[in-house]
Amino acid sequence: MLLKTILLPLGFVLSTAVSAFAGEGTIDTGDTAWVTMSTALVMMMTPAGLAMFYGGMSRYKNLLNTIAMTLVAYCLASIVWVAWGYSLAFGETSNLFIGNLNHLFLNGIDIHSVSGTIPTLLFVLFQMTFACICIAIILGSVVDRIKFSSWIVFAVLWVTFVYAPVCNWAWGGGWMHKIGALDFAGGNVVHINAGISGLVLALYLGKRHGYGKEPMIPSSVAFTALGAGLLWFGWFGFNAGSALAANGIAASAFLVTNTAAAMGGLSWLSVEWKHSKKPTLLGLASGAIAGLVGITPAAGFVSLSGALAIGALSGIIGFFGVAVLKRKMGYDDSLDAFGIHGLCGIWGALATGLFANPSVTEGAAGLVYGNPKQVWIQFLSIIGTITFSALATLIVIFITSLLTNGLRVDREDELAGLDNALHGERAFEIE
């Protein structure tokens, strides 16, 4: 049985094509080629870009463990998605909170199924890469101290019971879709969802031994910078690919994505330079990622001026979250998943309500273009995501803890380093 096409409200149908379901249609080879390339770009972001970005920021004794948990998250989410995650997120139903199980193991979807102008199987794959990177982002809050076995169980449960519902709300015809919330490529679905969940998991696990008392030096800032470059490259597929077509909206999303990333890097660098008197490579790379996070929900809706504003403030907000808020509040968000993805994702979702430009996507207008109501709608979507992500993640944590006899590694293993203690390997051989 083919899925029916579900369109978003008339005013912004084209710009939010990412939420289209499978249905009757004609495959366009240009659109298919572009989305195929975009899928490959987003796939690269997790086991290559994020693995290097996070691995470089982790301590040397945990570098390999960080990369391993990023890679296993990609593997797990890939299987969960094609088995039941896609059906829960995009299965057609009148339910505004979750899909159905009609497409378990992609039942009813074959090479003849079409979503808009691309094969449904390609749409499934493109959406799968979003689920994969979303669970991997959470890892940044808890590296150095979560058991590998617990991470595996948590990842499976979280993609099923946290990611899939929020994806359905925004892109699968759920309540966010119904109220007209704008989320082009994952402000709520990916970044707020992962950032809040990471913070909850970090608070539950507690601080790393020695946190705040001894230096926790990144193993390789060079790795992190290279990872940031790969993420930036892959983000063009993430955002521009979310048009699900090779069209003007995809081109605009490509442009504003690069612009916001550049502005984010420069604004973070400027604030850091003034604050600490040193312009660091880590800060520049983090700022670029902050800008990319901020522009994600807005990519298909804003013009160049909006991208400049979103990127500039994303860098400042990210720096504040990492250098000020975390220290004042005292929580241990290891690699700043909440500080960058959570906070900048919130800003980006709100900024979409401010800067959405109807000249980019007809009918999608924000406060600056005469539609103050959109800010309120964006606010409601943010509150809904934060509340659900926090509570649902807490439940997943409790279930995982019961199934794996606690989430945290032994003190001895944590102090010795997880690369050798858990994997019996080292990232580099040192003579």
Side-chain angles (χ1 to χ4, degrees):
M1 181 180 70
L2 298 180
L3 293 171
K4 296 180 180 179
T5 301
I6 294 181
L7 299 178
L8 291 183
L10 182 60
F12 42 93
V13 168
L14 292 177
S15 63
T16 48
V18 71
S19 66
F21 288 20
E24 299 293 342
T26 302
I27 290 176
D28 181 279
T29 55
D31 294 345
T32 300
W34 167 237
V35 179
T36 300
M37 176 60 72
S38 296
T39 301
L41 287 171
V42 183
M43 178 272 169
M44 179 193 67
M45 292 173 70
T46 304
L50 195 66
M52 290 189 69
F53 186 75
Y54 276 173
M57 284 196 289
S58 65
R59 289 180 286 179
Y60 171 75
K61 62 183 180 181
N62 298 315
L63 189 160
L64 188 148
N65 174 256
T66 301
I67 295 174
M69 290 202 288
T70 305
L71 181 57
V72 79
Y74 182 88
C75 294
L76 292 165
S78 295
I79 300 304
V80 169
W81 190 252
V82 298
W84 58 79
Y86 173 79
S87 190
L88 288 173
F90 291 97
E92 183 184 1
T93 177
S94 59
N95 190 321
L96 297 181
F97 296 95
I98 194 68
N100 56 41
L101 294 176
N102 291 345
H103 300 288
L104 286 177
F105 294 92
L106 304 187
N107 175 56
I109 301 174
D110 58 28
I111 61 171
H112 303 294
S113 304
V114 180
S115 289
T117 58
I118 65 172
T120 300
L121 290 174
L122 178 57
F123 178 73
V124 172
L125 276 168
F126 183 67
Q127 288 296 329
M128 180 203 75
T129 60
F130 281 64
C132 291
I133 196 168
C134 192
I135 178 61
I137 287 170
I138 295 173
L139 176 64
S141 289
V142 295
V143 298
D144 295 353
R145 62 198 191 276
I146 189 169
K147 294 195 301 190
F148 196 73
S149 58
S150 298
W151 175 244
I152 289 173
V153 174
F154 176 86
V156 171
L157 294 175
W158 191 87
V159 172
T160 303
F161 297 110
V162 186
Y163 180 82
V166 179
C167 183
N168 175 267
W169 297 352
W171 299 335
W175 68 267
M176 286 187 194
H177 158 81
K178 294 298 183 184
I179 67 173
L182 301 177
D183 190 355
F184 191 75
N188 279 291
V189 179
V190 176
H191 298 296
I192 300 175
N193 200 7
I196 294 297
S197 297
L199 178 63
V200 171
L201 185 55
L203 292 173
Y204 179 86
L205 284 172
K207 302 175 185 178
R208 290 168 288 178
H209 293 297
Y211 179 74
K213 300 177 182 178
E214 60 185 59
M216 296 187 173
I217 301 171
S219 58
S220 174
V221 175
F223 266 25
T224 295
L226 288 171
L230 288 172
L231 286 169
W232 192 332
F233 180 58
W235 225 292
F236 295 133
F238 201 89
N239 286 359
S242 290
L244 289 186
N247 58 19
I249 293 175
S252 178
F254 204 121
L255 171 68
V256 300
T257 296
N258 188 72
T259 300
M263 280 302 299
L266 293 173
S267 64
W268 184 307
L269 187 73
S270 299
V271 174
E272 180 187 53
W273 202 342
K274 181 175 179 61
H275 181 267
S276 63
K277 311 305 180 186
K278 292 183 183 297
T280 69
L281 176 58
L282 180 59
L284 182 60
S286 298
I289 300 302
L292 289 165
V293 171
I295 197 62
T296 293
F301 303 115
V302 302
S303 57
L304 182 62
S305 58
L308 289 167
I310 290 171
L313 279 174
S314 293
I316 295 170
I317 290 169
F319 177 81
F320 171 81
V322 170
V324 180
L325 183 64
K326 184 170 74 169
R327 291 181 182 179
K328 286 187 176 295
M329 299 298 292
Y331 57 84
D332 184 8
D333 178 10
S334 305
L335 309 182
D336 302 306
F338 171 71
I340 294 177
H341 294 274
L343 293 180
C344 294
I346 291 170
W347 157 240
L350 277 176
T352 305
L354 295 173
F355 301 114
N357 186 341
S359 69
V360 176
T361 298
E362 185 180 355
L367 175 64
V368 173
Y369 296 92
N371 182 25
K373 181 182 177 182
Q374 193 62 48
V375 178
W376 173 245
I377 293 173
Q378 296 301 108
F379 177 76
L380 289 178
S381 72
I382 292 167
I383 295 301
T385 302
I386 290 173
T387 303
F388 176 78
S389 297
L391 294 177
T393 298
L394 198 57
I395 293 171
V396 168
I397 288 170
F398 287 143
I399 295 172
T400 303
S401 183
L402 289 174
L403 293 176
T404 61
N405 193 29
L407 276 71
R408 186 153 181 163
V409 297
D410 295 336
R411 176 185 174 88
E412 293 76 16
D413 289 344
E414 182 177 339
L415 293 175
L418 303 182
D419 286 4
N420 186 59
L422 295 184
H423 304 285
E425 299 172 296
R426 294 190 298 181
F428 300 104
E429 291 297 327
I430 301 176
E431 298 296 336

